[in-house]
């Protein structure tokens, strides 16, 4: 089993930057992909960014490309989501998820991820 725990969410102003962390523990050797998703009130959970847990591949949603960066610290077993130029529409609960299946490429469908964190709230005030 893989455990993922998010942290770092808080209230920020539009234009600010924020970094979210996803601590990965347990059977980390089985993790293939780590994804960041978000869910705003009344909306479906959507893919934000993802990366291979063992390689360099990354993928971003068009809405965050050029503003968000996903990265990994292997020594700390932590995946980060650096969010710059935040907008009010980025307000959501952000979730980290782990997939243990080696799909060809970074999957964007939530159902392909097995392990989920509890979420961390990001609120961007305009």
């Amino acid at each position: 089993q893989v455990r993922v725990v998010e942290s770092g969410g808080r209230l920020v102003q539009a234009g600010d930057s924020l970094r979210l962390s996803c601590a990965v523990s347990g059977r980390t050797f089985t993790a293939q992909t780590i994804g960041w998703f978000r869910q705003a009130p009344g909306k479906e959970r959507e893919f934000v960014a993802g990366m291979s847990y063992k390689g360099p591949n990354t993928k971003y949603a068009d809405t965050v490309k050029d503003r968000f960066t996903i990265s990994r610290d292997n020594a700390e077993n932590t995946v980060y989501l650096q969010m710059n130029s935040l907008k009010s529409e980025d307000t959501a609960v952000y979730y980290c998820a782990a997939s243990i299946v080696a799909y060809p490429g970074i999957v964007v469908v939530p159902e392909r991820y097995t392990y989920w964190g509890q979420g961390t709230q990001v609120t961007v005030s305009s």
Side-chain angles (χ1 to χ4, degrees):
Q1 188 171 356
V2 177
R3 184 168 183 250
V4 292
V5 179
E6 312 92 337
S7 62
R10 61 182 177 90
L11 172 65
V12 296
Q13 299 291 318
D16 284 354
S17 296
L18 188 64
R19 189 178 77 166
L20 303 183
S21 299
C22 173
V24 185
S25 61
R27 297 168 61 90
T28 59
F29 60 90
T30 65
Q32 299 295 327
T33 304
I34 300 295
W36 282 98
F37 291 78
R38 66 187 181 186
Q39 188 165 20
K43 295 188 177 181
E44 293 189 354
R45 192 168 297 190
E46 65 174 358
F47 174 82
V48 175
M51 77 178 306
S52 170
Y53 197 60
K54 299 180 174 63
N57 294 337
T58 59
K59 186 178 182 70
Y60 297 91
D62 288 342
T63 52
V64 306
K65 199 175 297 184
D66 299 327
R67 296 190 299 124
F68 291 11
T69 303
I70 189 170
S71 62
R72 182 181 69 240
D73 185 329
N74 290 331
E76 297 293 330
N77 283 329
T78 301
V79 175
Y80 301 100
L81 184 67
Q82 177 67 42
M83 305 185 294
N84 298 330
S85 302
L86 283 161
K87 306 174 182 180
S88 58
E89 50 263 45
D90 295 318
T91 295
V93 178
Y94 283 70
Y95 296 91
C96 177
S99 171
I100 58 174
V101 178
Y103 295 104
I106 307 298
V107 292
V108 303
V109 179
E111 290 75 16
R112 297 293 177 90
Y113 289 80
T114 305
Y115 301 104
W116 290 82
Q118 79 290 347
T120 186
Q121 177 70 48
V122 173
T123 302
V124 183
S125 172
S126 57

